[in-house]
Amino acid sequence: MQRLGYPARTIVVFAALLALAVNGLVQPFGKEWLWLSTVAILIVAAALVGWRTRRLSHARRQSAPILQALGAATVDIPLSLRARMPLVLVTGDALASLFDHGAGATRLVYIGDGAIWLRVDRPQDLPQVALAMRQWRDGQPPDGVVLSVAPALHADADALVQRLRVTRQALADAARIVGARLPGYVAVYQRLTPLAPRDADLARQWHSVSASAPLIDAQRIEAVIRNAENDPRPDPDARYAAVHAAALASIVGWTQRVIFGALTDPRQPAAPWALHGAGWIDCGPASDAGKPWEQDVQRHTRIAPARVDATPAPWPLPQPLIEAMPRRVAISPRLAAFAHAIGITALAAGAAFLGAGRHNAQLLDRVHADLGRYASIAADHDDARRDALRALVADRDELDRYARTGVPLRLSFGLYHGAQLLPALNTAIASYQPPPPPPTVVTLDNMSLFDSGKANLKPGSTRTLVEAVEMIKAHPGKRILIAGHTDDSGDANSNLRLSNARAAALRTWLIEATGIPATQFAVQGYGDTRPIADNRTPEGRARNRRVEITLVPETAARAQ
């Protein structure tokens, strides 16, 4: 039965929904980036889900035979025990001889003493098989990878090294895909001597070293040789014991130089193997002087090793190597997914708080800037003050709406402080005083009131002054400014005196006609200094000859 494994697609969808919610409600990147960020989230989520779906489909197709074999071999093992039993992938040489355990045919899976051994015929398949095992074991990767090396099956050392490099790359890819470091072990199957011990079990004895951490070093390897030489069960045939010990020392040294060197050389692009153990056994295929190890022996001793026959199958699996195998803490994929969901939620909350803080800072800066702009505009610049006032009213209405209907999510999360600005906004808005209305002005034509060069009112001119009298009576309490003007004909000083005399004559008449005290009148003659038209034309000169009656409010008059 295949377990569900880690729900990666569910986590991706959950993360995408949270991101969309935060992006739409909080808008941490601002409104200008809302649509672009939304489209980016959808594209990334769809790409990840599609990639994961294709990867799982491909893995299921590739691992279907293996999973069927595992299901058949472990049908009697409880599901909880499957995850606790060590699962070891075995790849390399002579796998058929290792997995022929009495059934007459080779198998993909072998349930040994406390371990599940899984055969991987091609090293290149290690990544796919490791991924399938992680799904089958409820998210736990394989516990280790054993590389079976039978030197006698290779033509020379160079061919063996090339195969080892392929295996090294495959294990690096497998560790990357399953997201875990896979401990590596090397099991060397080599007939060491044509002699046969009287105790047949000695020929099937493993000489190994292993630990829970990478350990391949000279001192520990030498310990393997010393243990073989000091075996408490020496064979009665001393000749076999001596030859076997010498051959074991030679094969161990050759393994260090050739096999370990190829698997751990830092100059190679693939990650080095994390070698946790190695073992040697006097068991393997037929061999002669032309094989890699025998050639190495001949180079060092000038003695050609004798030909040896193959060991009948099945060959023993390297059970001693995995006895010190590091065990991982079993974590349920659903529990891991739940922890990841909590972490993603925390990230979303952090993004929401950051976005809300950013929006609140922008709101406060905007309101403070509007208040400062309004306060910096002088009262006599009413157009600019009205523009600034409209901004303050919009700010006040926005904050008031938040107080009545609730603060939007993009400003909330306990970070909203806009309510504190409402009193300052209301005070600034209430302080606005519109400017006084402009003075009322009546312009009278001199020609209708005075003869040319004269300052006495013409008879019958009172009809022209009726409008002025009605305007003055309609605005009691205002000061009356009478200003006389002329064109530029003649002497400027004479024009100034004439304009002042005409203004005074008009004031005298208005006092008599309205009964207003003389103290409310002011007289000013400007002569030709304030033309309103071009003096070079008759029409312009006629417009410039005028008397202006201006009603000024009492406050404005005092300011003047």
Side-chain angles (χ1 to χ4, degrees):
M1 177 180 178
Q2 184 174 350
R3 305 294 285 272
L4 294 176
Y6 184 84
R9 288 175 292 185
T10 302
I11 292 297
V12 169
V13 173
F14 174 73
L17 292 176
L18 266 184
L20 290 174
V22 171
N23 192 49
L25 298 176
V26 183
Q27 302 170 10
F29 304 107
K31 289 184 178 180
E32 62 275 11
W33 294 97
L34 178 60
W35 287 108
L36 182 60
S37 54
T38 299
V39 172
I41 291 170
L42 292 174
I43 291 176
V44 171
L48 288 175
V49 170
W51 171 77
R52 179 66 177 177
T53 300
R54 289 193 301 271
R55 182 177 175 183
L56 288 177
S57 298
H58 177 73
R60 289 192 183 100
R61 289 193 301 269
Q62 294 289 330
S63 59
I66 298 173
L67 293 178
Q68 291 176 359
L70 275 171
T74 60
V75 66
D76 297 328
I77 302 177
L79 291 178
S80 58
L81 184 58
R82 294 183 193 178
R84 293 198 301 268
M85 290 183 66
L87 189 146
V88 183
L89 306 183
V90 184
T91 189
D93 301 330
L95 299 185
S97 299
L98 301 182
F99 283 83
D100 181 9
H101 287 267
T106 59
R107 294 175 292 180
L108 290 176
V109 181
Y110 176 72
I111 308 298
D113 295 335
I116 301 174
W117 304 82
L118 180 63
R119 170 181 171 181
V120 183
D121 290 318
R122 297 174 66 249
Q124 296 88 332
D125 295 334
L126 280 174
Q128 290 79 10
V129 175
L131 180 61
M133 294 306 97
R134 191 180 68 173
Q135 297 170 352
W136 183 74
R137 302 181 75 211
D138 203 15
Q140 294 188 55
D143 294 286
V145 177
V146 171
L147 174 60
S148 169
V149 180
L153 296 180
H154 299 274
D156 52 48
D158 291 339
L160 174 58
V161 168
Q162 291 301 321
R163 184 176 178 85
L164 292 174
R165 289 173 178 171
V166 171
T167 306
R168 171 177 172 172
Q169 181 65 59
L171 183 60
D173 295 339
R176 176 177 51 82
I177 288 177
V178 300
R181 193 173 187 180
L182 300 177
Y185 302 86
V186 173
V188 180
Y189 292 86
Q190 174 66 44
R191 288 297 311 274
L192 300 177
T193 172
L195 301 176
R198 295 181 182 178
D199 185 355
D201 291 338
L202 290 178
R204 295 298 183 99
Q205 178 184 351
W206 281 98
H207 303 277
S208 61
V209 57
S210 63
S212 58
L215 53 81
I216 299 303
D217 56 58
Q219 291 183 352
R220 301 198 184 193
I221 298 301
E222 290 297 329
V224 175
I225 301 174
R226 289 196 302 270
N227 290 339
E229 294 174 344
N230 301 323
D231 193 336
R233 299 180 305 154
D235 189 75
D237 188 348
R239 182 165 174 256
Y240 169 80
V243 173
H244 179 268
L248 179 62
S250 175
I251 192 67
V252 169
W254 179 84
T255 302
Q256 286 182 280
R257 295 191 306 275
V258 177
I259 299 178
F260 295 168
L263 295 178
T264 61
D265 185 1
R267 295 172 296 179
Q268 296 299 318
W273 264 40
L275 287 171
H276 284 244
W280 296 264
I281 190 171
D282 186 5
C283 172
S287 184
D288 55 41
K291 301 303 180 181
W293 171 62
E294 285 82 351
Q295 291 177 358
D296 183 76
V297 171
Q298 191 171 356
R299 280 196 300 271
H300 287 84
T301 64
R302 305 298 180 182
I303 299 174
R307 185 183 185 282
V308 293
D309 296 328
T311 304
W315 302 344
L317 287 164
Q319 179 69 32
L321 290 183
I322 65 171
E323 292 177 355
M325 176 178 289
R327 301 306 308 274
R328 296 184 178 89
V329 177
I331 300 178
S332 169
R334 267 76 64 196
L335 182 60
F338 180 72
H340 293 164
I342 293 177
I344 292 171
T345 303
L347 289 176
F353 276 103
L354 289 175
R358 177 171 174 264
H359 292 312
N360 275 283
Q362 291 175 345
L363 174 65
L364 297 178
D365 291 344
R366 171 163 57 86
V367 174
H368 283 303
D370 290 342
L371 286 169
R373 175 169 167 260
Y374 177 78
S376 65
I377 300 175
D380 55 350
H381 294 77
D382 190 62
D383 290 340
R385 281 178 67 84
R386 281 199 302 269
D387 290 339
L389 181 66
R390 281 192 288 270
L392 293 182
V393 172
D395 294 339
R396 190 269 315 275
D397 292 344
E398 180 182 359
L399 299 184
D400 183 64
R401 184 173 67 255
Y402 295 158
R404 288 183 291 103
T405 62
V407 180
L409 283 177
R410 62 185 181 85
L411 294 170
S412 57
F413 298 99
L415 303 175
Y416 177 71
H417 301 290
Q420 302 174 2
L421 297 177
L422 273 173
L425 287 171
N426 289 326
T427 301
I429 293 171
S431 68
Y432 173 75
Q433 294 294 333
T440 304
V441 179
V442 175
T443 301
L444 303 174
D445 182 10
N446 280 348
M447 299 303 296
S448 63
L449 298 177
F450 304 98
D451 290 326
S452 177
K454 304 296 183 179
N456 298 320
L457 290 171
K458 294 183 352 180
S461 61
T462 55
R463 289 177 296 180
T464 305
L465 297 174
V466 170
E467 180 181 356
V469 173
E470 292 178 351
M471 178 189 71
I472 292 172
K473 289 182 177 181
H475 297 85
K478 293 186 177 181
R479 295 196 64 183
I480 302 152
L481 174 63
I482 303 174
H485 302 270
T486 67
D487 58 21
D488 63 352
S489 301
D491 180 63
N493 291 328
S494 299
N495 289 337
L496 182 61
R497 289 192 296 271
L498 179 62
S499 64
N500 192 69
R502 287 176 172 177
L506 185 57
R507 177 188 60 180
T508 301
W509 186 90
L510 288 173
I511 291 173
E512 295 175 355
T514 62
I516 297 175
T519 55
Q520 286 188 236
F521 286 89
V523 174
Q524 181 68 52
Y526 292 100
D528 58 8
T529 59
R530 295 187 178 184
I532 60 174
D534 190 355
N535 278 310
R536 292 176 297 181
T537 64
E539 294 81 5
R541 287 192 297 272
R543 290 185 61 192
N544 290 333
R545 295 189 296 268
R546 68 196 188 279
V547 177
E548 293 178 345
I549 302 174
T550 302
L551 300 182
V552 182
E554 190 67 22
T555 55
R558 284 197 297 268
Q560 292 177 351

